[in-house]
Amino acid sequence: MENQDYSCLRLDNQLCFPLYACSKEIIKRYKPFLDELDLTYTQYITMMVLWERKEMNVKELGEHLYLDSGTLTPLLKKLEAKGYITRQRMKTDERNVLIQITQAGEYLKEDAVHIPGEMSQCVDLEPQEAKVLYILLRKILKQLKEEEAMERN
């Protein structure tokens, strides 16, 4: 067997691993705050989009959250059962489901407004460092989405 360089397989050389591990650890820090609201992290970010947009179809919501409809459908059913959203097939196109925030969903925002401030205490970054990290992560997401779109066409 040829003497091959396997350094590319070292975990310490992978960009994906610290992204994965940081994401997992940060979501773990959200858990106590979200448990008080009886929300999962994915339900929380869904509500964040709906607090801002009020209504949208499932496809648009999935694009915002980088989630497919197979992941969103059970999540949305649970949020509907809690009374935070309604789901309704659009009359113009039965394949599209419109998601709307309810009054109870709007009220939940008052209970959640402290969470971003609490979470900002979990990561010791200077504001400029946080801004750079955000820009870089958004750049990666954009590139990956563009590649995915080109592969579909």
Side-chain angles (χ1 to χ4, degrees):
M1 191 154 91
E2 207 173 298
N3 197 6
Q4 190 160 350
D5 180 12
Y6 293 106
S7 64
C8 65
L9 297 177
R10 289 180 47 100
L11 191 59
D12 287 345
N13 292 337
Q14 306 305 309
L15 177 61
C16 60
F17 180 71
L19 286 170
Y20 161 77
C22 281
S23 175
K24 193 170 77 64
E25 291 300 315
I26 288 172
I27 290 170
K28 187 166 60 174
R29 302 280 190 311
Y30 270 97
K31 190 169 176 12
F33 303 112
L34 297 179
D35 283 351
E36 291 175 11
L37 304 180
D38 190 30
L39 292 177
T40 65
Y41 179 76
T42 314
Q43 290 170 344
Y44 172 65
I45 61 174
T46 299
M47 292 304 298
M48 290 179 87
V49 172
L50 293 170
W51 288 326
E52 185 178 340
R53 298 279 304 272
K54 308 304 179 212
E55 71 175 36
M56 60 196 330
N57 68 38
V58 173
K59 183 179 182 210
E60 292 171 315
L61 183 59
E63 288 170 358
H64 269 74
L65 298 173
Y66 296 88
L67 296 172
D68 60 40
S69 62
T71 302
L72 277 175
T73 299
L75 179 149
L76 293 170
K77 284 181 179 179
K78 288 177 183 171
L79 288 174
E80 186 176 39
K82 293 176 185 193
Y84 297 144
I85 66 162
T86 59
R87 297 178 308 136
Q88 185 175 0
R89 294 221 173 261
M90 297 177 77
K91 291 177 182 23
T92 55
D93 185 350
E94 289 282 319
R95 296 170 297 174
N96 282 320
V97 176
L98 184 67
I99 310 302
Q100 293 180 301
I101 195 164
T102 64
Q103 195 68 40
E106 281 291 344
Y107 289 147
L108 183 65
K109 181 168 44 174
E110 293 303 315
D111 296 330
V113 73
H114 73 283
I115 295 174
E118 298 281 355
M119 288 303 301
S120 71
Q121 306 302 311
C122 293
V123 179
D124 187 21
L125 290 177
E126 295 295 323
Q128 188 58 33
E129 291 173 317
K131 184 177 181 179
V132 168
L133 179 59
Y134 180 87
I135 290 167
L136 290 172
L137 292 172
R138 281 291 180 187
K139 181 179 179 180
I140 292 169
L141 283 171
K142 182 179 183 229
Q143 289 172 350
L144 293 172
K145 274 298 179 191
E146 287 172 356
E147 282 180 24
E148 185 179 294
M150 285 191 297
E151 288 171 3
R152 276 184 286 177
N153 294 333

